[in-house]
Amino acid sequence: MTLKKALMLSFILLWHISLNAQKITHSFALSDSSFMLDGKPFLMISGEIHYPRVPREAWRARMKMAKAMGLNTIGTYVFWNLHEPQKGKFDFSGNNNVAEFVKIAKEEGLWVILRPSPYVCAEWEFGGYPYWLQNEKGLIVRSKEEKYLKEYETYIKEIGKQLAPLQVNHGGNILMVQIENEYGSYGNDKEYLAINQRLFKEAGFDGLLYTCDPTDAIADGHLPGLLPAINGIDNPVKVKKLISENHGGKGPFYIAEWYPAWFDWWGTAHHTVPAENYTARLDGALSAGISINMYMFHGGTTRGFMNGANYDDKHPYEPQISSYDYDAPLDEAGNATNKFMLFRQVIAKHLPAGQTLPPVPAAKPTIAIDNIQLNESAGILDILPKPVLNKTPLTFEDLKQDYGFVLYRTTIKGGKTGVIKLNELRDYAVIMINGKNVGLLDRRHKQDSIKLTLPAGRVKLDILVENSGRVNFGPYLLKNKKGITESVKFNGAEVYNWAMYSLPFKHVNNIVYGNKKATHIPVVRKGEFNLSKVADTYLNMESWGKGVVWVNGHNLGRYWSVGPQQTLYLPAEWLKKGKNDIVVFEMLKGEMSRLNGSATPILNKLQ
């Protein structure tokens, strides 16, 4: 045999071995007390990471950190509003490529718990629902209402095409799939839950399905026959009692959301919980054979306009901040914290015999970029698109606009003083008279009125309204329209004849900047900075007012001087050597034209 033939045969043999290895399927099942992977008891030690909250270029690095802490599984929600941003238009590209996220986890030796739900909560805009569901007349989310189920079915089948082939029973690494999400905190309709189960199966999710609920909601939220996972407690006796009571007297026992800390919202102190408060509890759960999913292992950042909000009859409107650091074991930038190291020590005690943990990757380098000048500017009133005209104000939904801002304009008769009232303002408004800021209204403080003194003659009234994030939890999911959602009154008389200008700020590369100084109104400012090396960094916005920042076209999220977050995380993956572009939309301090960077985040400063 010639050397060439021998090499060819070797190649073919290796190719067949590789192909057969790829076809290997595993079994995953429930026993009365534990999960069974390939017929052997499996203690799931999982941590939640959300693919859109991490740059795609950094997914693998985060997976390696998960392995280094001792996790064997990753949990993630799937976000309907990312994948179907407009009705019938699906997007699984770039940072939305959830199948790639799952495949990378497999390559890094991690199993996956999938939570397509389709309601996710997650401190995410509208709990993951696409805004346009509100335009379907009569549609009721989380119900058996026909229109909702039709849209839900369309969505979940598209998700099935992407992810059902990656289930463990098809050779992939998805162990279990969650239907709905903490439904017992919202309702108790078992027929609705059964429809969820059917839709998931029809979408190709033919492996293990489960539900998850907090302790006081598990009876309402679980579907008989499915594993009822529990959220928010870790006392082994209570966990086993609650799950077995709702699962025919048996397990396995799974804490689907084990909280090492909590999230933040604007104007409230940063939430932190010492790791020492949790190490014994983690050890206790694992020692009792209870599987966990840490929510969050790594929070990352809620970029763009995708933060949600909380609101109910007992609490004011509370929009969440852009940082989703969560005081998690892996910080916002993906570096190991003290919590990571202490949890790693606990998990190391529970590894299978002969298994050791890989070394912890070193913290990533950071840089501080100082004295960034933003010399180009455009006042918001100079870059308005073509308006939509209507007698009364239109909502974002009426305008088929998902996120961002809408400017409402009309003219009224001046020469008088009076109170202007915006009925059901959602959520934050800058009021301008003849092109100058004269007042602010903030839904957080239940502000909907302000006293104005109008100059003589016809007065141009502009009201810039920000959608600060749709409610993501509770009874107000169905009351989530944005903008001026009812009417405007001046001294009790309704104001009519409005022009609405949509400003979704999906892209900022088409803004035309001028030489005119814009200081008394919301303004877009542009600049650039040069780098000789790239590394993670933070933009310090504490001397600015309120707005949004883009770098090299990437929306980094919102900033707001009220805190507690004062910096925006800028990942190295989105920077480049040489020239980098920066755009800032500032709502309150139009005179600002310079900002500095920081090598460390500021997440705990209220102003």
Side-chain angles (χ1 to χ4, degrees):
M1 185 185 293
T2 65
L3 179 62
K4 189 174 179 181
K5 272 189 176 179
L7 287 171
M8 183 64 74
L9 283 170
S10 299
F11 174 77
I12 291 168
L13 185 63
L14 285 170
W15 183 73
H16 275 293
I17 292 169
S18 170
L19 202 63
N20 288 329
Q22 288 174 30
K23 286 180 180 176
I24 291 172
T25 58
H26 296 270
S27 66
F28 188 69
L30 313 180
S31 79
D32 288 355
S33 59
S34 64
F35 293 117
M36 302 296 288
L37 181 62
D38 294 335
K40 296 176 183 175
F42 175 69
L43 185 64
M44 188 191 301
I45 308 176
S46 176
E48 190 99 357
I49 306 177
H50 298 150
Y51 54 98
R53 285 177 158 139
V54 178
R56 175 176 170 159
E57 301 89 338
W59 286 347
R60 191 177 298 278
R62 302 299 189 270
M63 304 288 185
K64 289 183 185 299
M65 295 300 287
K67 289 287 285 187
M69 198 176 83
L71 302 184
N72 53 32
T73 307
I74 289 297
T76 186
Y77 282 123
V78 182
F79 300 84
W80 187 351
N81 53 14
L82 287 186
H83 296 299
E84 195 181 4
Q86 299 291 342
K87 183 175 177 174
K89 295 180 180 177
F90 287 90
D91 181 8
F92 294 97
S93 63
N95 242 91
N96 290 349
N97 191 341
V98 60
E100 182 66 16
F101 180 81
V102 171
K103 288 171 185 174
I104 290 173
K106 184 180 182 183
E107 289 165 7
E108 294 300 325
L110 290 160
W111 303 101
V112 168
I113 295 294
L114 193 70
R115 311 174 75 192
S117 297
Y119 163 76
V120 300
C121 189
E123 292 70 62
W124 192 266
E125 227 276 346
F126 201 3
Y129 283 125
Y131 87 99
W132 53 263
L133 289 179
Q134 297 183 101
N135 281 340
E136 301 290 308
K137 196 172 181 182
L139 185 148
I140 303 171
V141 298
R142 307 188 87 177
S143 80
K144 294 180 292 192
E145 188 277 319
E146 191 176 324
K147 288 182 179 176
Y148 170 66
L149 291 179
K150 181 175 176 289
E151 299 301 344
Y152 177 178
E153 181 179 10
T154 301
Y155 157 75
I156 205 68
K157 284 184 173 173
E158 288 295 325
I159 296 300
K161 289 176 191 173
Q162 299 287 322
L163 295 170
L166 304 181
Q167 293 171 105
V168 65
N169 50 321
H170 296 279
N173 57 325
I174 296 173
L175 296 178
M176 288 199 304
V177 179
Q178 178 187 295
I179 66 165
E180 248 292 351
N181 185 53
E182 297 191 327
Y183 174 69
S185 297
Y186 189 84
N188 59 4
D189 187 340
K190 302 294 184 184
E191 287 184 7
Y192 166 66
L193 285 173
I195 291 169
N196 277 262
Q197 181 186 32
R198 174 177 62 79
L199 291 177
F200 269 66
K201 285 183 173 179
E202 289 174 358
F205 293 112
D206 54 359
L208 277 176
L209 303 177
Y210 75 102
T211 60
C212 78
D213 289 281
T215 54
D216 58 352
I218 193 167
D220 286 339
H222 92 280
L223 181 66
L226 298 189
L227 176 68
I230 199 160
N231 293 353
I233 65 164
D234 51 21
N235 178 296
V237 174
K238 288 183 179 177
V239 168
K240 290 187 173 183
K241 181 175 182 288
L242 276 165
I243 289 177
S244 61
E245 282 176 353
N246 290 278
H247 197 228
K250 59 191 183 200
F253 307 105
Y254 177 44
I255 305 168
E257 292 187 12
W258 185 79
Y259 305 115
W262 206 239
F263 61 91
D264 292 335
W265 53 94
W266 293 111
T268 303
H270 178 48
H271 293 83
T272 59
V273 184
E276 291 80 2
N277 292 16
Y278 277 97
T279 48
R281 292 160 65 173
L282 176 60
D283 192 30
L286 298 179
S287 296
I290 296 171
S291 291
I292 66 156
N293 178 50
M294 210 172 281
Y295 191 103
M296 299 291 295
F297 161 66
H298 171 52
T301 312
T302 311
R303 296 185 178 84
F305 303 111
M306 299 313 291
N307 66 281
N310 281 326
Y311 175 70
D312 60 34
D313 295 329
K314 295 177 183 174
H315 300 94
Y317 174 72
E318 296 170 339
Q320 291 120 18
I321 68 171
S322 295
S323 170
Y324 203 58
D325 176 88
Y326 218 91
D327 192 34
L330 211 59
D331 69 14
E332 182 177 9
N335 294 311
T337 64
N338 177 56
K339 191 171 281 185
F340 179 104
M341 301 308 289
L342 292 181
F343 286 1
R344 171 181 155 94
Q345 288 174 20
V346 172
I347 292 169
K349 292 162 54 179
H350 299 277
L351 296 176
Q355 187 177 323
T356 57
L357 293 178
V360 179
K364 296 180 290 173
T366 60
I367 55 175
I369 311 166
D370 285 330
N371 196 28
I372 300 173
Q373 300 287 339
L374 297 109
N375 294 322
E376 294 184 87
S377 67
I380 197 72
L381 303 181
D382 296 324
I383 58 168
L384 298 175
K386 187 179 177 182
V388 173
L389 307 178
N390 201 61
K391 184 178 180 182
T392 54
L394 298 173
T395 65
F396 278 56
E397 290 73 18
D398 293 331
L399 297 166
K400 294 186 168 47
Q401 182 178 335
D402 44 13
Y403 317 116
F405 306 80
V406 170
L407 187 124
Y408 295 81
R409 171 175 288 175
T410 191
T411 55
I412 54 177
K413 190 177 179 183
K416 53 191 172 185
T417 297
V419 172
I420 188 167
K421 179 179 173 69
L422 278 58
N423 289 305
E424 290 299 324
L425 166 68
R426 299 183 190 154
D427 302 294
Y428 189 90
V430 178
I431 298 173
M432 293 165 271
I433 294 292
N434 290 341
K436 288 192 177 181
N437 284 10
V438 294
L440 306 169
L441 297 173
D442 185 347
R443 183 184 178 191
R444 295 180 310 138
H445 303 307
K446 298 185 178 178
Q447 296 168 343
D448 64 1
S449 307
I450 189 170
K451 192 174 185 179
L452 296 178
T453 298
L454 304 179
R458 297 298 292 173
V459 172
K460 183 170 74 174
L461 171 65
D462 288 311
I463 305 172
L464 179 69
V465 177
E466 177 192 43
N467 164 8
S468 303
R470 290 182 180 85
V471 175
N472 61 263
F473 178 80
Y476 285 87
L477 281 176
L478 294 170
K479 296 179 181 176
N480 245 335
K481 292 192 174 183
K482 290 299 182 181
I484 300 173
T485 62
E486 288 189 6
S487 61
V488 178
K489 292 184 177 180
F490 187 76
N491 276 349
E494 190 158 353
V495 180
Y496 294 115
N497 301 321
W498 292 90
M500 271 71 52
Y501 300 85
S502 288
L503 297 160
F505 282 121
K506 282 186 169 49
H507 310 285
V508 289
N509 53 4
N510 55 352
I511 293 171
V512 177
Y513 299 89
N515 298 320
K516 194 166 71 171
K517 278 196 173 180
T519 56
H520 299 293
I521 55 169
V523 62
V524 183
R525 292 197 175 273
K526 183 182 180 184
E528 59 185 55
F529 55 91
N530 282 282
L531 295 177
S532 57
K533 65 172 184 178
V534 299
D536 278 0
T537 190
Y538 301 85
L539 301 179
N540 189 329
M541 308 303 296
E542 61 187 311
S543 60
W544 290 63
K546 187 180 198 304
V548 188
V549 178
W550 295 259
V551 172
N552 294 330
H554 295 281
N555 187 327
L556 304 185
R558 308 177 203 255
Y559 65 89
W560 195 356
S561 60
V562 299
Q565 175 181 358
Q566 301 294 347
T567 53
L568 282 170
Y569 171 52
L570 175 50
E573 291 84 1
W574 291 350
L575 290 168
K576 53 194 177 184
K577 286 184 180 180
K579 191 182 84 151
N580 293 263
D581 296 316
I582 180 168
V583 174
V584 179
F585 175 48
E586 167 61 46
M587 298 176 69
L588 308 179
K589 294 184 176 181
E591 72 279 5
M592 295 297 294
S593 61
R594 186 173 71 89
L595 64 86
N596 285 318
S598 171
T600 54
I602 303 170
L603 298 176
N604 57 357
K605 187 173 182 179
L606 296 171
Q607 294 195 129

